[in-house]
Amino acid sequence: MSSRLVIRTRTVGGTPSSARIRRPVVVVLALSLGAVLSGCAPPSPDPAPSTAAPSTPAVSPTPTPTSTEPVLVPDGTAEDNLPLFTHVVESVWASADQVTGRAYIDALVAAGFDKSAMQVTNDLTTIGDPAESIQFSVLWGDECLIGQVGPATGEPVAVVMPALAEGGCLIGNTRPIDW
């Protein structure tokens, strides 16, 4: 017995035979159209995030850390070193030793400034009261980095000024830096 596949067709609608659409053709067209339209469907939602650690590339460049704090510029000008001088002055001002001249000198030395080029005024008046302001300086070539702090000044001051003709930076009585 031989089997034979018989496809029966039927006319869709009442159109003439030249415009007849056969059922197998309609099924094939429907499947093709479905395949084409599936590419137009909105994307499916992303799967739930994985708890696994993300993979890292075999070689990753290491960023170079950048310092945000100023640094001493030994071959620079007084103006080049004003940012560091100012930073040191503001740091000491924010401490408990804000009206102690020695604290500023010690902090400037720790930052790399030359102690032998420094001057500082007294912390106390001649009658033993706290000074209204304290000045300190670093001679830098023919210029001076000068700081002034104290209750009378409010906020600390740090500036660059020309050195005095007779040498040094501060006018008036200064105390020896002998520590």
Side-chain angles (χ1 to χ4, degrees):
M1 179 165 163
S2 111
S3 65
R4 190 168 129 193
L5 177 62
V6 176
I7 299 177
R8 296 188 182 256
T9 60
R10 207 169 54 169
T11 304
V12 176
T15 59
S17 64
S18 63
R20 290 184 184 175
I21 300 175
R22 309 278 181 203
R23 184 173 285 185
V25 172
V26 171
V27 171
V28 169
L29 285 175
L31 291 174
S32 297
L33 183 60
V36 168
L37 290 178
S38 69
C40 297
S44 61
D46 290 337
S50 171
T51 56
S55 64
T56 57
V59 177
S60 62
T62 303
T64 304
T66 57
S67 174
T68 57
E69 291 191 13
V71 295
L72 185 71
V73 183
D75 295 329
T77 64
E79 194 69 38
D80 294 336
N81 287 291
L82 182 59
L84 177 59
F85 185 85
T86 302
H87 177 75
V88 170
V89 171
E90 290 172 347
S91 296
V92 176
W93 179 253
S95 76
D97 292 326
Q98 65 179 204
V99 291
T100 307
R102 181 175 180 158
Y104 291 93
I105 299 303
D106 291 347
L108 289 166
V109 169
F113 290 97
D114 181 9
K115 189 177 195 178
S116 68
M118 295 183 191
Q119 290 179 289
V120 64
T121 61
N122 289 307
D123 299 349
L124 302 173
T125 67
T126 55
I127 59 171
D129 290 335
E132 289 186 19
S133 68
I134 302 167
Q135 294 85 34
F136 43 90
S137 66
V138 177
L139 180 63
W140 196 276
D142 59 352
E143 294 184 302
C144 296
L145 294 155
I146 300 175
Q148 182 175 349
V149 298
T153 62
E155 294 297 312
V157 176
V159 297
V160 174
M161 300 291 292
L164 299 172
E166 61 274 357
C169 299
L170 301 179
I171 298 174
N173 293 331
T174 60
R175 70 188 231 197
I177 301 174
D178 55 5
W179 61 89

